[in-house]
Amino acid sequence: MSYSKKISTDQWSSRLTFILAATGSAVGLGNIWKFPYMVGENGGAAFVLLYLVCIALVGIPILKSELIIGRRGGQSPGESFAGLARKEDSSPKWAVVGWAGALSCFIVLSFYSVIGGWSIFYFVNAVTHSIGADQEAVTNTFNTLIAKDWQANVIYHTLFIVLVAVVVLGGIRKGIERLVSVVMPAMLLILIGLLVYAATLPGFYDALTYMFNPDFTALAYNNGEFSWGRLGQVTLSALGHSFFTLSVGFSVMVAYASHLPKNVSIPNTALTIGILDTAVALIAGVAIYSIVFSDASLTPNAGPGLVFMTIPQAFLNIPAGQYLEIIFFLLLWLAAWTSALSLLEPPVEIAMSVLKIKRVPATILMTTLIWAVGLLSALSYNELSEVTIADEAILDFLSNFTDKVLLPITGLLVAIFSGWVMGMNSTTKELGGYGPVYIYWRICVRIIAPIAISMIFVAGVNEWLVS
Ligand code: TRP
C-alpha cells in the first residue's frame, strides 16, 4: 500500500462528523468578522443579494466539485487531481491545482492566524475586563493593538497557530473530529443567543432593512457617479468572498472529502454546508448591525475594526455586558480555530506524501514555516507599516490577493476540471445519478461559473490593481 493510500484510511466516523468538520471549516472569521464589514463597505443589502447569487450559482456547485474530486481521488489533493486526470486520459499535470491550493492555504493561514490571534487577545481581555471602560478606551485598545503593540500580535499569533497544530497532530478522528464535535454545537447555541439578544435591541429593524432591502445604486455608484469599475470590483469581492466563506478553491474540501465514506450523499452534504454557512453569516450580520444601529456613535463602514470596536462598545452599558462580550469573542475564536484546522490539513498531507514523513513531523514542519511567514502579517500595521504592496499593508494585500486573484483562479480550474475533464460517467456516480440536481450542477460548473469568474475577474482585478 502506498503512503498516500494510508492517509485515507483515517476516515470520518459518520456523515454528521464530516458535516461538522466541513461546516467548521466554512464558518470562520469570514462569516463573523469579515462578512459584516464587507456588507458595510460595499453597499448593504444589494451586496448581500449579490453574495447569495454567487453562493448559489458558483460557490455551492464548486463545493460539490471539490467533494467529488476528493472522494473519488482519495489521496492528498495533488495526487487526487493527477490520479483522476489519468483515469480520464488527461494530463496528470492537473496536480498543479491541488498544489496551488495547498500553497494558497499556507499563505492564507499565515495571516488568518494573526486575526485569529486578535480574537484570543480580545477573549482574554474580556475575561480580565480590560478592553476599556468607555468608548474612547475601546477604540484606543484596538488602535494600540494594531499599530503599536507588536509583541501582543506576535504572542497571540503564536498561541493561535500552536493550538491549531495541536489538533491537527491528532489527525482526522483523534484530532479534528474530537474538537468539532464539542465546539460546533456550542457555537450554534451562542449564535442563537446572540440573535435573540439582537432582536430585543432598538436597532434590530434597521439592521434587517440594511441587510435585506436592497438599493442597487450602491453597487455601481461612486460619489453619485455611475462607475463600471466599482461594479466590477464589488462583484469580484462578492464572488471571492463566496469562495472564501465556503472554503472552496484551495482544495481544502478535496482533502477533507478524501476521508469521506462512499455512502454519504454529496449533493445533500454540500447543500447543508452551504445553508449553515450562509445562515451564520446572515445572523452575524443582523446581530452586529442591530448593535451598530442602536448606538448613534457607531457606523456601518468601520472596516476590519468593526467587530472589535462595536461589540465591546455596545456591551459597555449593559448589566451583563462583560459576559456577553466574553461569549462573543469566544465564538469568534472557536470559529477561527475550526477553520484554521482545515487550512493546515492540506499542507500537512502534502508534506506527508511528498517527504514521506509521518503526521507529527509534517505538522511541526508546516506550522513552523507558516508561523514564520505569518510574522510579516503580525508586524504589518506596526513595525513593518512602512512596507506596502500595491499601496496596501502586507496583511491587507495578502487578504485581497487571496479573494481577488488566488481564489477565482483556483476555483475556475476546479470548475473546469470537474465539468470538462471528468466524464459524466464518473461525476454522475458521485452525485447520485442523472437528474435535475445533476443537470443544475453541470450547467453551473461547465458554463455559468467559468464565464462569470472570467468576466468578473478581469473587470475587478483591473480596477483593483491598475486604476
Ligand atoms: N471559510 C473560512 C472562513 O470563512 C476560511 C477558510 C478555511 C478558507 N479554509 C479555507 C478559505 C480554504 C479558503 C479556502 O473564515
Side-chain angles (χ1 to χ4, degrees):
M1 187 158 69
S2 76
Y3 198 81
S4 49
K5 275 272 163 48
K6 255 195 239 154
I7 293 182
S8 61
T9 56
D10 186 11
Q11 283 210 336
W12 303 104
S13 37
S14 67
R15 169 168 186 260
L16 179 68
T17 54
F18 176 77
I19 289 188
L20 289 179
T23 309
S25 164
V27 173
L29 294 171
N31 304 60
I32 302 169
W33 166 71
K34 195 165 179 184
F35 178 71
Y37 86 74
M38 286 183 89
V39 171
E41 282 182 343
N42 292 299
F47 179 80
V48 174
L49 205 66
L50 203 57
Y51 154 86
L52 292 176
V53 170
C54 291
I55 295 271
L57 291 182
V58 185
I60 294 182
I62 297 184
L63 173 58
K64 288 184 191 166
S65 302
E66 288 205 5
L67 297 181
I68 295 174
I69 295 165
R71 183 161 77 183
R72 257 191 119 63
Q75 305 186 359
S76 78
E79 292 167 297
S80 286
F81 275 97
L84 291 176
R86 258 190 231 107
K87 271 193 214 144
E88 308 280 354
D89 290 327
S90 181
S91 161
K93 294 210 178 94
W94 276 100
V96 168
V97 182
W99 289 92
L103 181 68
S104 311
C105 286
F106 187 110
I107 297 172
V108 172
L109 185 53
S110 76
F111 70 79
Y112 202 86
S113 171
V114 173
I115 301 158
W118 296 352
S119 70
I120 306 185
F121 172 92
Y122 268 82
F123 172 69
V124 170
N125 280 280
V127 171
T128 58
H129 216 352
S130 39
I131 297 180
D134 54 38
Q135 187 186 336
E136 207 184 316
V138 167
T139 316
N140 222 345
T141 301
F142 183 71
N143 292 335
T144 308
L145 169 68
I146 305 297
K148 298 206 185 85
D149 195 353
W150 66 267
Q151 290 98 331
N153 276 282
V154 172
I155 291 169
Y156 286 98
H157 158 57
T158 310
L159 182 62
F160 182 85
I161 206 163
V162 166
L163 290 170
V164 173
V166 167
V167 180
V168 171
L169 278 178
I172 298 291
R173 281 213 181 174
K174 296 209 188 94
I176 297 177
E177 222 174 64
R178 260 199 209 162
L179 183 78
V180 296
S181 310
V182 180
V183 162
M184 297 306 293
M187 269 171 54
L188 193 69
L189 282 181
I190 299 180
L191 261 169
I192 293 173
L194 202 64
L195 184 64
V196 171
Y197 167 71
T200 65
L201 294 176
F204 184 63
Y205 181 74
D206 287 340
L208 290 180
T209 312
Y210 187 70
M211 295 269 303
F212 299 112
N213 187 7
D215 164 15
F216 288 102
T217 56
L219 296 179
Y221 280 80
N222 237 350
N223 304 325
E225 252 178 73
F226 182 83
S227 145
W228 281 108
R230 170 156 169 105
L231 184 61
Q233 205 183 353
V234 170
T235 316
L236 182 59
S237 297
L239 181 77
H241 188 65
S242 74
F243 288 116
F244 188 86
T245 190
L246 289 175
S247 301
V248 303
F250 291 166
S251 296
V252 161
M253 294 297 179
V254 175
Y256 269 25
S258 70
H259 310 275
L260 186 62
K262 279 280 172 226
N263 57 359
V264 171
S265 152
I266 287 184
N268 292 346
T269 306
L271 194 64
T272 311
I273 301 169
I275 289 177
L276 287 173
D277 184 73
T278 307
V280 173
L282 296 178
I283 292 177
V286 168
I288 287 162
Y289 283 113
S290 300
I291 294 173
V292 169
F293 293 129
S294 300
D295 182 334
S297 66
L298 299 173
T299 51
N301 47 2
L306 183 69
V307 298
F308 294 108
M309 292 190 278
T310 50
I311 293 284
Q313 189 174 329
F315 291 157
L316 278 177
N317 305 321
I318 299 170
Q322 192 201 348
Y323 299 103
L324 289 170
E325 195 173 84
I326 295 174
I327 290 174
F328 178 82
F329 287 111
L330 178 66
L331 170 71
L332 192 63
W333 168 27
L334 295 178
W337 196 6
T338 55
S339 296
L341 301 177
S342 73
L343 288 165
L344 185 54
E345 182 66 18
V348 167
E349 290 193 8
I350 292 224
M352 285 163 75
S353 77
V354 171
L355 304 174
K356 311 248 177 301
I357 51 178
K358 292 237 162 61
R359 184 170 273 275
V360 174
T363 307
I364 295 174
L365 174 71
M366 282 300 166
T367 307
T368 312
L369 292 175
I370 295 170
W371 171 81
V373 173
L375 291 177
L376 293 175
S377 291
L379 301 177
S380 65
Y381 297 125
N382 36 72
E383 299 299 293
L384 297 179
S385 60
E386 305 278 293
V387 183
T388 55
I389 314 174
D391 276 342
E392 289 177 347
I394 301 171
L395 195 157
D396 295 320
F397 177 80
L398 288 178
S399 170
N400 275 320
F401 185 68
T402 304
D403 277 9
K404 294 184 176 161
V405 180
L406 288 176
L407 282 169
I409 292 178
T410 48
L412 176 66
L413 292 172
V414 172
I416 292 175
F417 184 82
S418 61
W420 293 93
V421 176
M422 289 183 78
M424 276 179 77
N425 246 342
S426 23
T427 49
T428 37
K429 268 188 208 125
E430 294 293 329
L431 286 179
Y434 191 82
V437 173
Y438 183 79
I439 296 171
Y440 174 72
W441 170 77
R442 199 155 153 94
I443 294 176
C444 287
V445 293
R446 273 170 82 94
I447 299 162
I448 300 180
I451 295 178
I453 298 174
S454 318
M455 282 173 46
I456 297 170
F457 179 69
V458 171
V461 163
N462 187 37
E463 175 73 11
W464 178 47
L465 290 179
V466 184
S467 322

